[in-house]
Amino acid sequence: MSEQYDVVVVGAGAAGLAAGARLHRAGIKVRVIEAAGRTGGRAFTDTASFGFAWDRGCHWLHSASVNPLRAAADELGFGYLARGTRQARVTHLGDRWADEAERHAIWAAIDGTFSAVHAAGEAGRDIAASECLDLSSPWLRLSRHWLTLMTAAEAEQVSTLDYAAYSDTAENYPVERGYGALVQAVAARSAPALDIVTSCPVEAVDWSGSGVALATPRGTLKARYAIVAVPTSVMAKGAIRFNPGLPVVLEEAFAALPLGAAEKVALLFDRDVFGQPPTTYVDTLDLRAPTRKPINFTLNPFGAPMAIGQLGGANAAGLVAAGAEAMVDFALAALVDAFGADIRARVKGTATTGWVADPLIGGAYSCALPGLAPLRARLSPASVAQAMGGRVLFAGEAVSAHAYSTAHGAHLTGLAAADAVMAALQGAAA
Protein backbone atom coordinates (compact mmCIF):
# COMPACT_ATOMS: atom_id res chain seq x y z
CA MET A 1 0.00 0.00 0.00
CA SER A 2 2.28 2.75 -1.23
CA GLU A 3 -0.26 4.75 -3.19
CA GLN A 4 -0.64 8.47 -2.52
CA TYR A 5 -3.95 9.72 -1.09
CA ASP A 6 -5.41 13.09 -0.37
CA VAL A 7 -6.66 11.83 3.01
CA VAL A 8 -6.27 8.70 5.07
CA VAL A 9 -8.83 8.15 7.81
CA VAL A 10 -7.67 5.99 10.71
CA GLY A 11 -10.57 4.13 12.32
CA ALA A 12 -13.86 2.96 10.80
CA GLY A 13 -16.23 3.66 13.67
CA ALA A 14 -19.10 6.13 13.42
CA ALA A 15 -16.71 9.08 13.10
CA GLY A 16 -14.32 7.50 10.62
CA LEU A 17 -17.11 6.21 8.40
CA ALA A 18 -18.77 9.62 8.37
CA ALA A 19 -15.51 11.39 7.51
CA GLY A 20 -14.59 8.90 4.81
CA ALA A 21 -18.03 8.94 3.22
CA ARG A 22 -18.18 12.73 3.07
CA LEU A 23 -14.72 12.98 1.53
CA HIS A 24 -15.47 10.24 -1.00
CA ARG A 25 -18.70 11.92 -2.09
CA ALA A 26 -16.74 15.13 -2.65
CA GLY A 27 -14.45 13.34 -5.10
CA ILE A 28 -11.46 13.35 -2.78
CA LYS A 29 -9.09 10.40 -2.91
CA VAL A 30 -9.53 8.87 0.54
CA ARG A 31 -8.88 5.54 2.17
CA VAL A 32 -10.25 4.41 5.55
CA ILE A 33 -8.14 1.91 7.46
CA GLU A 34 -9.37 -0.05 10.46
CA ALA A 35 -7.38 -2.14 12.92
CA ALA A 36 -10.25 -4.53 13.65
CA GLY A 37 -11.61 -7.14 11.30
CA ARG A 38 -14.92 -5.30 11.05
CA THR A 39 -16.14 -1.74 10.76
CA GLY A 40 -18.37 0.17 13.17
CA GLY A 41 -16.25 0.31 16.30
CA ARG A 42 -18.50 0.76 19.32
CA ALA A 43 -21.52 0.89 17.01
CA PHE A 44 -21.93 -2.88 16.66
CA THR A 45 -25.21 -4.69 16.06
CA ASP A 46 -24.93 -8.43 16.72
CA THR A 47 -27.27 -10.65 14.71
CA ALA A 48 -25.14 -13.80 14.81
CA SER A 49 -25.42 -14.74 18.50
CA PHE A 50 -29.18 -15.25 18.70
CA GLY A 51 -30.72 -14.55 15.32
CA PHE A 52 -32.16 -11.35 16.82
CA ALA A 53 -30.52 -7.96 16.41
CA TRP A 54 -29.10 -6.51 19.60
CA ASP A 55 -26.54 -3.78 20.06
CA ARG A 56 -23.36 -4.65 21.87
CA GLY A 57 -22.53 -0.95 21.92
CA CYS A 58 -24.64 2.16 21.35
CA HIS A 59 -28.37 1.52 21.06
CA TRP A 60 -30.32 4.71 21.76
CA LEU A 61 -30.81 7.60 19.36
CA HIS A 62 -29.97 10.22 21.96
CA SER A 63 -31.57 13.66 21.63
CA ALA A 64 -33.62 12.20 18.81
CA SER A 65 -35.26 15.42 17.60
CA VAL A 66 -31.86 16.95 16.82
CA ASN A 67 -29.98 13.74 16.04
CA PRO A 68 -29.08 13.54 12.32
CA LEU A 69 -28.99 9.76 12.54
CA ARG A 70 -32.63 9.73 13.62
CA ALA A 71 -33.53 11.54 10.39
CA ALA A 72 -31.42 9.01 8.51
CA ALA A 73 -33.26 6.19 10.27
CA ASP A 74 -36.55 7.60 8.96
CA GLU A 75 -35.18 7.80 5.43
CA LEU A 76 -33.68 4.30 5.53
CA GLY A 77 -36.66 2.62 7.15
CA PHE A 78 -35.02 1.84 10.48
CA GLY A 79 -37.77 1.71 13.08
CA TYR A 80 -37.29 2.96 16.63
CA LEU A 81 -39.34 3.29 19.77
CA ALA A 82 -40.25 6.94 20.31
CA ARG A 83 -40.34 6.81 24.07
CA GLY A 84 -39.33 9.91 25.98
CA THR A 85 -37.74 8.19 28.96
CA ARG A 86 -35.83 5.08 29.93
CA GLN A 87 -37.36 5.28 33.40
CA ALA A 88 -38.05 1.77 34.69
CA ARG A 89 -41.67 0.75 34.82
CA VAL A 90 -40.93 -1.53 37.74
CA THR A 91 -38.14 -1.91 40.28
CA HIS A 92 -37.34 -5.13 42.09
CA LEU A 93 -35.95 -4.81 45.60
CA GLY A 94 -34.48 -8.27 46.12
CA ASP A 95 -37.49 -10.13 47.46
CA ARG A 96 -40.40 -7.98 46.29
CA TRP A 97 -41.43 -5.36 43.77
CA ALA A 98 -41.33 -1.72 44.79
CA ASP A 99 -44.72 -0.18 45.38
CA GLU A 100 -45.82 2.98 43.58
CA ALA A 101 -44.65 5.31 46.33
CA GLU A 102 -41.23 3.66 46.40
CA ARG A 103 -40.91 3.87 42.63
CA HIS A 104 -41.60 7.59 42.73
CA ALA A 105 -39.09 8.01 45.54
CA ILE A 106 -36.46 6.05 43.64
CA TRP A 107 -36.80 8.15 40.52
CA ALA A 108 -36.90 11.35 42.54
CA ALA A 109 -33.57 10.28 44.05
CA ILE A 110 -32.06 9.42 40.66
CA ASP A 111 -33.29 12.61 39.05
CA GLY A 112 -32.09 14.54 42.10
CA THR A 113 -28.61 13.13 41.62
CA PHE A 114 -28.55 14.11 37.95
CA SER A 115 -29.82 17.59 38.80
CA ALA A 116 -27.29 18.15 41.57
CA VAL A 117 -24.36 17.11 39.37
CA HIS A 118 -25.63 19.25 36.52
CA ALA A 119 -26.19 22.26 38.78
CA ALA A 120 -22.62 22.09 40.06
CA GLY A 121 -21.32 22.11 36.49
CA GLU A 122 -23.67 24.89 35.45
CA ALA A 123 -22.25 26.92 38.32
CA GLY A 124 -18.79 26.47 36.82
CA ARG A 125 -17.58 23.98 39.44
CA ASP A 126 -15.25 21.35 37.99
CA ILE A 127 -15.46 18.87 40.85
CA ALA A 128 -16.11 15.16 41.24
CA ALA A 129 -19.75 14.18 40.86
CA SER A 130 -19.39 12.17 44.07
CA GLU A 131 -19.37 15.44 45.97
CA CYS A 132 -22.97 16.02 44.84
CA LEU A 133 -24.42 12.71 46.03
CA ASP A 134 -26.98 12.49 48.82
CA LEU A 135 -25.22 9.94 51.00
CA SER A 136 -28.26 9.66 53.27
CA SER A 137 -30.59 8.48 50.51
CA PRO A 138 -31.82 4.89 50.85
CA TRP A 139 -31.63 4.73 47.06
CA LEU A 140 -27.99 5.83 46.80
CA ARG A 141 -26.86 2.61 45.13
CA LEU A 142 -29.37 3.04 42.32
CA SER A 143 -28.48 6.72 41.93
CA ARG A 144 -24.81 5.83 41.62
CA HIS A 145 -25.64 3.00 39.24
CA TRP A 146 -27.57 5.27 36.91
CA LEU A 147 -24.84 7.88 37.02
CA THR A 148 -22.34 5.23 35.94
CA LEU A 149 -24.65 4.18 33.10
CA MET A 150 -24.78 7.78 31.87
CA THR A 151 -21.05 8.45 32.20
CA ALA A 152 -19.51 4.92 32.20
CA ALA A 153 -17.47 6.04 35.20
CA GLU A 154 -17.71 6.03 38.97
CA ALA A 155 -18.89 9.31 40.44
CA GLU A 156 -15.41 10.01 41.83
CA GLN A 157 -14.05 10.12 38.25
CA VAL A 158 -16.80 12.27 36.72
CA SER A 159 -16.28 16.00 36.14
CA THR A 160 -19.40 17.99 36.96
CA LEU A 161 -18.37 20.70 34.48
CA ASP A 162 -18.00 18.15 31.69
CA TYR A 163 -21.27 16.48 32.67
CA ALA A 164 -23.14 19.77 32.44
CA ALA A 165 -21.73 20.44 28.97
CA TYR A 166 -23.55 17.40 27.59
CA SER A 167 -26.68 18.41 25.69
CA ASP A 168 -29.66 16.07 26.05
CA THR A 169 -33.23 16.65 24.95
CA ALA A 170 -34.35 13.55 26.93
CA GLU A 171 -35.59 11.94 23.70
CA ASN A 172 -33.69 8.65 23.68
CA TYR A 173 -35.09 6.13 21.22
CA PRO A 174 -33.94 2.49 20.92
CA VAL A 175 -33.40 1.28 17.35
CA GLU A 176 -35.20 -1.94 16.45
CA ARG A 177 -32.78 -3.29 13.84
CA GLY A 178 -29.81 -1.93 15.75
CA TYR A 179 -27.98 1.38 15.97
CA GLY A 180 -24.80 -0.24 14.73
CA ALA A 181 -26.65 -1.47 11.65
CA LEU A 182 -27.99 2.05 11.13
CA VAL A 183 -24.50 3.57 11.27
CA GLN A 184 -23.35 1.08 8.65
CA ALA A 185 -26.37 1.77 6.45
CA VAL A 186 -25.86 5.53 6.61
CA ALA A 187 -22.26 5.21 5.42
CA ALA A 188 -23.19 2.70 2.72
CA ARG A 189 -25.91 4.96 1.37
CA SER A 190 -23.64 8.00 1.36
CA ALA A 191 -20.63 6.32 -0.23
CA PRO A 192 -21.22 2.70 -1.32
CA ALA A 193 -17.81 2.53 -2.99
CA LEU A 194 -15.85 3.95 -0.04
CA ASP A 195 -12.35 2.46 0.08
CA ILE A 196 -12.08 0.67 3.46
CA VAL A 197 -9.31 -1.70 4.54
CA THR A 198 -9.89 -3.71 7.72
CA SER A 199 -7.42 -5.71 9.85
CA CYS A 200 -4.89 -2.98 9.18
CA PRO A 201 -3.68 -1.25 12.36
CA VAL A 202 -1.69 1.96 12.11
CA GLU A 203 1.58 1.62 13.97
CA ALA A 204 2.98 5.11 13.44
CA VAL A 205 2.08 8.47 11.93
CA ASP A 206 4.92 10.60 10.58
CA TRP A 207 3.84 14.20 10.18
CA SER A 208 7.31 15.69 10.01
CA GLY A 209 7.06 16.60 6.34
CA SER A 210 4.61 18.46 4.17
CA GLY A 211 2.14 15.56 4.36
CA VAL A 212 1.74 12.43 6.48
CA ALA A 213 3.05 8.88 6.26
CA LEU A 214 1.24 6.10 8.09
CA ALA A 215 3.09 2.88 8.84
CA THR A 216 1.00 -0.31 8.82
CA PRO A 217 1.82 -4.05 8.63
CA ARG A 218 0.77 -3.86 4.98
CA GLY A 219 3.14 -1.04 4.14
CA THR A 220 3.22 2.73 4.37
CA LEU A 221 0.42 4.96 3.18
CA LYS A 222 1.17 8.55 2.23
CA ALA A 223 -1.37 11.33 2.21
CA ARG A 224 -1.67 15.06 2.39
CA TYR A 225 -3.84 14.80 5.52
CA ALA A 226 -4.83 12.25 8.13
CA ILE A 227 -7.98 12.09 10.24
CA VAL A 228 -7.42 9.92 13.29
CA ALA A 229 -10.72 8.58 14.66
CA VAL A 230 -9.76 6.11 17.37
CA PRO A 231 -10.77 5.96 21.06
CA THR A 232 -9.00 8.13 23.60
CA SER A 233 -7.78 5.04 25.45
CA VAL A 234 -5.89 3.92 22.34
CA MET A 235 -4.29 7.33 22.05
CA ALA A 236 -3.48 7.64 25.75
CA LYS A 237 -1.59 4.34 25.87
CA GLY A 238 0.51 5.31 22.86
CA ALA A 239 -0.71 2.50 20.61
CA ILE A 240 -0.04 4.77 17.64
CA ARG A 241 3.38 6.42 17.61
CA PHE A 242 3.72 9.93 16.25
CA ASN A 243 6.80 11.55 14.73
CA PRO A 244 7.25 14.20 15.92
CA GLY A 245 5.60 13.09 19.15
CA LEU A 246 2.14 14.33 19.99
CA PRO A 247 2.18 17.85 21.43
CA VAL A 248 1.90 17.76 25.22
CA VAL A 249 -1.40 19.63 25.12
CA LEU A 250 -2.94 16.76 23.16
CA GLU A 251 -1.34 14.03 25.27
CA GLU A 252 -2.86 15.71 28.33
CA ALA A 253 -6.26 15.91 26.64
CA PHE A 254 -6.38 12.21 25.77
CA ALA A 255 -5.31 11.28 29.30
CA ALA A 256 -8.01 13.55 30.76
CA LEU A 257 -10.78 11.82 28.79
CA PRO A 258 -10.54 8.11 29.65
CA LEU A 259 -13.14 5.63 28.50
CA GLY A 260 -15.13 4.21 31.36
CA ALA A 261 -16.92 0.86 31.50
CA ALA A 262 -20.41 0.17 30.16
CA GLU A 263 -21.08 -3.49 29.41
CA LYS A 264 -24.04 -5.69 28.57
CA VAL A 265 -25.23 -9.20 29.34
CA ALA A 266 -27.75 -10.66 26.90
CA LEU A 267 -29.84 -13.72 27.68
CA LEU A 268 -32.08 -15.44 25.15
CA PHE A 269 -35.01 -17.54 26.40
CA ASP A 270 -36.99 -20.17 24.58
CA ARG A 271 -40.17 -18.19 25.16
CA ASP A 272 -41.40 -15.10 26.99
CA VAL A 273 -40.66 -15.80 30.65
CA PHE A 274 -41.38 -12.32 31.98
CA GLY A 275 -44.97 -11.59 31.00
CA GLN A 276 -44.02 -8.00 30.31
CA PRO A 277 -44.81 -5.83 27.25
CA PRO A 278 -42.14 -5.45 24.55
CA THR A 279 -39.21 -3.24 25.56
CA THR A 280 -39.93 -3.05 29.26
CA TYR A 281 -37.30 -1.48 31.50
CA VAL A 282 -36.69 -2.98 34.94
CA ASP A 283 -34.30 -1.92 37.69
CA THR A 284 -33.06 -4.17 40.44
CA LEU A 285 -31.75 -3.22 43.87
CA ASP A 286 -31.38 -5.87 46.56
CA LEU A 287 -32.23 -4.18 49.84
CA ARG A 288 -31.26 -7.39 51.64
CA ALA A 289 -27.61 -7.16 50.55
CA PRO A 290 -26.09 -3.67 50.97
CA THR A 291 -22.95 -4.52 48.98
CA ARG A 292 -24.72 -6.11 46.02
CA LYS A 293 -24.56 -3.88 42.95
CA PRO A 294 -27.70 -2.99 40.98
CA ILE A 295 -28.31 -4.04 37.41
CA ASN A 296 -31.06 -2.86 35.10
CA PHE A 297 -32.62 -4.71 32.19
CA THR A 298 -34.46 -4.27 28.95
CA LEU A 299 -36.95 -7.14 28.82
CA ASN A 300 -38.45 -8.49 25.60
CA PRO A 301 -36.74 -5.86 23.41
CA PHE A 302 -39.03 -5.22 20.45
CA GLY A 303 -40.80 -8.48 21.30
CA ALA A 304 -37.75 -10.78 21.26
CA PRO A 305 -37.67 -13.26 24.19
CA MET A 306 -34.55 -11.69 25.64
CA ALA A 307 -33.21 -9.79 28.61
CA ILE A 308 -30.37 -7.34 28.11
CA GLY A 309 -28.68 -6.27 31.33
CA GLN A 310 -26.65 -3.08 31.61
CA LEU A 311 -23.61 -2.74 33.82
CA GLY A 312 -21.53 0.35 34.46
CA GLY A 313 -18.37 1.58 36.12
CA ALA A 314 -16.20 -0.52 38.39
CA ASN A 315 -18.77 -3.30 38.66
CA ALA A 316 -18.84 -3.70 34.89
CA ALA A 317 -15.06 -3.69 34.61
CA GLY A 318 -14.70 -6.17 37.46
CA LEU A 319 -17.21 -8.58 35.96
CA VAL A 320 -15.54 -8.44 32.56
CA ALA A 321 -12.25 -9.32 34.26
CA ALA A 322 -13.98 -12.20 36.07
CA GLY A 323 -15.20 -13.60 32.76
CA ALA A 324 -18.36 -14.19 30.75
CA GLU A 325 -19.69 -16.84 33.14
CA ALA A 326 -19.48 -14.41 36.05
CA MET A 327 -21.30 -11.76 34.06
CA VAL A 328 -24.11 -14.15 33.16
CA ASP A 329 -24.38 -15.43 36.73
CA PHE A 330 -24.63 -11.89 38.07
CA ALA A 331 -27.38 -10.92 35.64
CA LEU A 332 -29.31 -14.17 35.91
CA ALA A 333 -29.30 -14.04 39.71
CA ALA A 334 -31.13 -10.71 39.62
CA LEU A 335 -33.66 -12.04 37.11
CA VAL A 336 -34.25 -15.16 39.21
CA ASP A 337 -34.92 -13.00 42.26
CA ALA A 338 -37.55 -11.11 40.30
CA PHE A 339 -39.13 -13.80 38.14
CA GLY A 340 -38.37 -17.09 39.87
CA ALA A 341 -35.86 -19.91 39.53
CA ASP A 342 -37.88 -21.60 36.78
CA ILE A 343 -36.51 -19.18 34.19
CA ARG A 344 -33.07 -20.79 34.47
CA ALA A 345 -34.34 -23.79 32.54
CA ARG A 346 -35.66 -21.54 29.79
CA VAL A 347 -32.27 -19.93 28.97
CA LYS A 348 -31.41 -20.76 25.37
CA GLY A 349 -28.28 -18.68 24.87
CA THR A 350 -26.12 -15.99 26.43
CA ALA A 351 -23.70 -13.35 25.22
CA THR A 352 -21.59 -10.73 26.95
CA THR A 353 -19.61 -7.68 25.92
CA GLY A 354 -16.05 -6.86 26.91
CA TRP A 355 -15.28 -3.38 25.65
CA VAL A 356 -12.87 -2.62 28.50
CA ALA A 357 -10.80 -5.68 27.57
CA ASP A 358 -10.72 -4.97 23.82
CA PRO A 359 -7.22 -3.65 23.06
CA LEU A 360 -8.54 -1.76 20.03
CA ILE A 361 -11.25 0.02 22.07
CA GLY A 362 -10.43 -0.03 25.78
CA GLY A 363 -13.77 1.01 27.23
CA ALA A 364 -17.17 2.54 26.59
CA TYR A 365 -17.16 6.30 26.10
CA SER A 366 -15.31 9.32 27.37
CA CYS A 367 -15.91 11.38 30.47
CA ALA A 368 -13.55 14.11 31.65
CA LEU A 369 -11.82 13.61 34.97
CA PRO A 370 -12.64 16.13 37.71
CA GLY A 371 -10.78 19.38 37.25
CA LEU A 372 -9.91 18.61 33.63
CA ALA A 373 -13.11 19.34 31.71
CA PRO A 374 -11.62 22.21 29.65
CA LEU A 375 -9.12 19.82 28.09
CA ARG A 376 -11.82 18.32 25.83
CA ALA A 377 -11.74 21.54 23.78
CA ARG A 378 -8.13 20.85 22.86
CA LEU A 379 -9.32 18.11 20.49
CA SER A 380 -11.43 20.45 18.35
CA PRO A 381 -10.33 20.78 14.70
CA ALA A 382 -9.18 24.36 15.19
CA SER A 383 -7.10 23.56 18.28
CA VAL A 384 -5.55 20.44 16.78
CA ALA A 385 -4.77 22.26 13.54
CA GLN A 386 -2.88 24.85 15.53
CA ALA A 387 -0.98 22.20 17.47
CA MET A 388 -0.17 19.90 14.54
CA GLY A 389 0.12 22.21 11.58
CA GLY A 390 -3.20 21.19 10.06
CA ARG A 391 -1.93 17.88 8.66
CA VAL A 392 -3.54 15.69 11.33
CA LEU A 393 -7.04 16.04 12.77
CA PHE A 394 -8.94 13.95 15.32
CA ALA A 395 -12.54 12.78 15.33
CA GLY A 396 -14.71 10.60 17.55
CA GLU A 397 -17.21 10.97 20.36
CA ALA A 398 -14.59 12.42 22.71
CA VAL A 399 -14.01 15.33 20.31
CA SER A 400 -17.62 16.46 20.57
CA ALA A 401 -18.08 19.31 23.03
CA HIS A 402 -21.77 18.70 23.74
CA ALA A 403 -22.62 15.24 22.33
CA TYR A 404 -19.64 13.25 23.57
CA SER A 405 -20.36 9.62 24.49
CA THR A 406 -22.85 9.31 21.62
CA ALA A 407 -22.83 7.85 18.13
CA HIS A 408 -24.29 11.00 16.63
CA GLY A 409 -21.63 13.06 18.40
CA ALA A 410 -18.96 10.89 16.80
CA HIS A 411 -20.71 11.10 13.43
CA LEU A 412 -20.80 14.90 13.54
CA THR A 413 -17.13 15.18 14.47
CA GLY A 414 -16.27 12.99 11.50
CA LEU A 415 -18.18 15.32 9.21
CA ALA A 416 -16.51 18.36 10.80
CA ALA A 417 -13.03 16.90 10.34
CA ALA A 418 -13.81 16.08 6.71
CA ASP A 419 -15.07 19.62 6.13
CA ALA A 420 -11.91 21.05 7.67
CA VAL A 421 -9.73 18.93 5.39
CA MET A 422 -11.79 19.87 2.32
CA ALA A 423 -11.42 23.54 3.17
CA ALA A 424 -7.66 23.08 3.45
CA LEU A 425 -7.52 21.24 0.14
CA GLN A 426 -9.54 23.96 -1.58
CA GLY A 427 -7.32 26.62 -0.04
CA ALA A 428 -4.20 24.89 -1.28
CA ALA A 429 -5.65 24.63 -4.78
CA ALA A 430 -6.66 28.29 -4.92
Side-chain angles (χ1 to χ4, degrees), residues 42-304:
R42 287 165 282 176
F44 178 22
T45 300
D46 179 356
T47 57
S49 294
F50 304 136
F52 295 99
W54 71 284
D55 280 308
R56 288 179 169 268
C58 56
H59 181 56
W60 283 275
L61 289 161
H62 292 292
S63 298
S65 63
V66 296
N67 185 332
L69 295 175
R70 192 273 310 162
D74 290 338
E75 295 164 3
L76 290 166
F78 274 71
Y80 48 82
L81 182 59
R83 182 181 290 170
T85 177
R86 281 179 287 169
Q87 177 174 328
R89 294 186 182 181
V90 287
T91 302
H92 196 263
L93 301 177
D95 57 1
R96 64 180 178 85
W97 294 100
D99 61 31
E100 185 176 359
E102 288 171 322
R103 287 202 307 110
H104 284 301
I106 289 167
W107 276 96
I110 293 170
D111 286 340
T113 294
F114 292 156
S115 296
V117 175
H118 195 277
E122 282 288 298
R125 302 175 66 202
D126 195 354
I127 59 174
S130 55
E131 296 186 35
C132 305
L133 298 177
D134 178 3
L135 302 182
S136 66
S137 170
W139 313 115
L140 177 62
R141 274 186 290 159
L142 264 181
S143 293
R144 286 189 66 107
H145 172 68
W146 269 93
L147 190 60
T148 65
L149 293 182
M150 296 298 102
T151 63
E154 295 296 326
E156 289 75 14
Q157 276 72 54
V158 175
S159 159
T160 54
L161 188 61
D162 193 56
Y163 181 91
Y166 178 79
S167 178
D168 187 4
T169 67
E171 303 159 298
N172 302 306
Y173 302 165
V175 183
E176 182 171 6
R177 290 161 53 193
Y179 205 160
L182 173 61
V183 168
Q184 299 279 3
V186 169
R189 178 187 64 170
S190 180
L194 178 61
D195 180 4
I196 304 176
V197 179
T198 57
S199 301
C200 185
V202 171
E203 299 167 341
V205 176
D206 188 328
W207 56 289
S208 60
S210 57
V212 293
L214 299 92
T216 81
R218 302 188 188 188
T220 298
L221 286 80
K222 294 185 178 181
R224 297 174 68 181
Y225 300 93
I227 297 174
V228 180
V230 301
T232 56
S233 57
V234 173
M235 296 299 302
K237 70 181 181 181
I240 300 175
R241 302 187 308 275
F242 284 79
N243 179 37
L246 277 179
V248 173
V249 291
L250 297 182
E251 287 187 335
E252 291 175 344
F254 288 120
L257 300 167
L259 302 188
E263 306 289 351
K264 296 179 183 179
V265 182
L267 300 98
L268 177 69
F269 297 87
D270 61 8
R271 60 176 173 78
D272 175 19
V273 299
F274 305 116
Q276 298 289 331
T279 316
T280 291
Y281 302 132
V282 173
D283 278 359
T284 68
L285 172 68
D286 192 347
L287 296 181
R288 305 166 303 177
T291 61
R292 186 178 180 183
K293 300 295 185 181
I295 179 173
N296 64 297
F297 294 94
T298 302
L299 304 182
N300 300 333
F302 293 99

Side-chain angles (χ1 to χ4, degrees), residues 318-419:
L319 284 168
V320 169
E325 184 176 353
M327 295 179 74
V328 171
D329 287 347
F330 181 84
L332 190 54
L335 290 173
V336 165
D337 283 348
F339 296 98
D342 290 349
I343 69 169
R344 289 186 183 274
R346 309 255 65 96
V347 176
K348 188 177 178 181
T350 64
T352 61
T353 65
W355 296 109
V356 294
D358 186 336
L360 303 180
I361 303 290
Y365 31 85
S366 66
C367 184
L369 295 171
L372 301 179
L375 273 63
R376 193 182 291 277
R378 296 182 182 181
L379 299 182
S380 69
S383 296
V384 173
Q386 183 177 8
M388 301 192 71
R391 293 185 293 283
V392 178
L393 292 174
F394 294 96
E397 55 86 11
V399 177
S400 176
H402 304 295
Y404 59 85
S405 79
T406 70
H408 76 275
H411 175 84
L412 289 171
T413 66
L415 298 182
D419 289 345

